[in-house]
Amino acid sequence: MVTRGRADGTRPAAVAAGRAADGVEEEGAETAAGDAATGPLDSVLRPVRAGNGFEEALEQILQLLRLGLVPPGERLPSERELSQQLRISRVTLREVLKVLQDQGMVESRRGRYGGTFVLPRTAAPDGTGELRRRIAAVDVEDTLRFREVLEAGAAGLCAEGLTGDEEARLRGALDATRGARLEDYRRRDTLLHLTLAELSGSRTLAAQYAAVRATLNELLDCIPLLVRNLEHSQQQHAAVVEAVLDRDADAARETMREHCGGTAALLRGFLA
């Protein structure tokens, strides 16, 4: 499936083969957390640099949660897998998970089917106030511009040609957004965009997009899901995918720019 040296979304054999677990995890907990544990996780979870292992591991797992790659109620990858992907000790990983548990973002369960499970995010009592608080922590215009550059570039690169398996993966991600429940739509939308980034063939682009998308989702989570906007987004999604499959790079880039512009306009409207 892989061409041009891109990641194929599979996990290293040594990780997949791991059976023994420790802490709250037991033998049955070594499996992945649903369909989210392949592909997109590779764009978020990567070896941390020496010196800031705890901080960088916390940042990456927070990013994973903000992207919704493991939905509420599902289990995170096992401690063995997370520690191997992040290249940190289990002691450090448990310190990270303890912080997330204290913040009410995950919970640990014991037993054969135990592990660390993602908890539903509680809605902010005042969405507008929470939005403005989050805005103060980021450069919104810079985030929106960077997102557009990455998204348009990824769409253009994908349009240069995908393998049959990659085309099927892209169609599957698009189909998942069409059948998504309203409360699950943003996660499926995120996965579609991450799929395009991953299929671009650039691991760096995919990692950068995952980071900027996590920031964007923090803002989008503070504004309502508008059915009319989602219908329009779906039309644009379909047009982008069609352009990619037709190998029309210009159309793929332009349609993606238009799509990103719609999201930017929506956010600016709520910020006004």
Side-chain angles (χ1 to χ4, degrees):
M1 169 178 166
V2 180
T3 60
R4 300 176 296 178
R6 68 168 62 88
D8 64 2
T10 59
R11 279 182 256 162
V15 175
R19 298 292 299 174
D22 64 351
V24 298
E25 295 176 303
E26 298 185 9
E27 184 176 357
E30 290 297 320
T31 58
D35 62 355
T38 61
L41 292 194
D42 292 337
S43 297
V44 177
L45 302 177
R46 53 198 179 278
V48 302
R49 292 168 295 183
N52 292 313
F54 171 81
E55 291 80 5
E56 290 191 18
L58 179 60
E59 177 187 17
Q60 291 186 38
I61 297 179
L62 277 170
Q63 188 179 110
L64 182 154
L65 297 177
R66 288 168 181 159
L67 287 168
L69 298 185
V70 181
E74 294 295 320
R75 184 171 53 215
L76 289 175
S78 70
E79 286 186 4
R80 176 187 298 278
E81 184 172 356
L82 285 173
S83 63
Q84 289 186 357
Q85 286 185 286
L86 295 168
R87 299 294 191 270
I88 58 175
S89 69
R90 290 201 188 186
V91 172
T92 298
L93 176 62
R94 287 169 186 156
E95 291 174 348
V96 169
L97 296 178
K98 179 64 166 57
V99 170
L100 298 177
Q101 186 170 345
D102 290 344
Q103 294 298 311
M105 303 180 77
V106 302
E107 69 174 3
S108 296
R109 302 176 190 171
R110 296 182 179 277
R112 180 175 179 80
Y113 300 104
T116 302
F117 289 78
V118 178
L119 295 176
R121 298 186 67 178
T122 56
D126 180 358
T128 302
E130 177 66 9
L131 177 61
R132 296 191 182 282
R133 183 190 69 77
R134 294 182 183 183
I135 288 167
V138 299
D139 185 332
V140 177
E141 289 301 323
D142 182 71
T143 297
L144 293 174
R145 289 191 188 98
F146 190 40
R147 183 250 179 139
E148 180 179 325
V149 169
L150 292 174
E151 292 256 34
L157 287 170
C158 288
E160 292 180 1
L162 302 177
T163 68
D165 287 344
E166 290 168 339
E167 289 183 355
R169 182 181 168 195
L170 183 57
R171 288 193 186 95
L174 176 63
D175 289 343
T177 63
R178 289 171 173 152
R181 302 185 308 275
L182 189 63
E183 61 271 21
D184 195 39
Y185 180 82
R186 189 153 290 147
R187 184 177 76 89
R188 293 295 182 179
D189 174 61
T190 298
L191 288 169
L192 171 60
H193 286 271
L194 277 173
T195 298
L196 279 164
E198 290 164 5
L199 295 179
S200 72
S202 169
R203 291 182 61 88
T204 300
L205 187 155
Q208 289 294 314
Y209 178 69
V212 78
R213 180 69 192 217
T215 300
L216 184 67
N217 279 3
E218 282 285 281
L219 301 177
L220 291 173
D221 283 345
C222 292
I223 67 176
L225 286 166
L226 307 176
V227 173
R228 179 67 187 89
N229 169 252
L230 299 187
E231 291 173 346
H232 186 218
S233 291
Q234 279 302 97
Q235 294 170 1
Q236 292 174 326
H237 287 158
V240 170
V241 171
E242 180 180 2
V244 167
L245 298 179
D246 287 344
R247 302 196 176 189
D248 187 339
D250 289 340
R253 285 190 291 265
E254 185 57 35
T255 307
M256 183 60 83
R257 288 192 188 96
E258 182 180 308
H259 178 58
C260 292
T263 301
L266 192 66
L267 276 173
R268 291 187 185 110
F270 278 93
L271 294 179

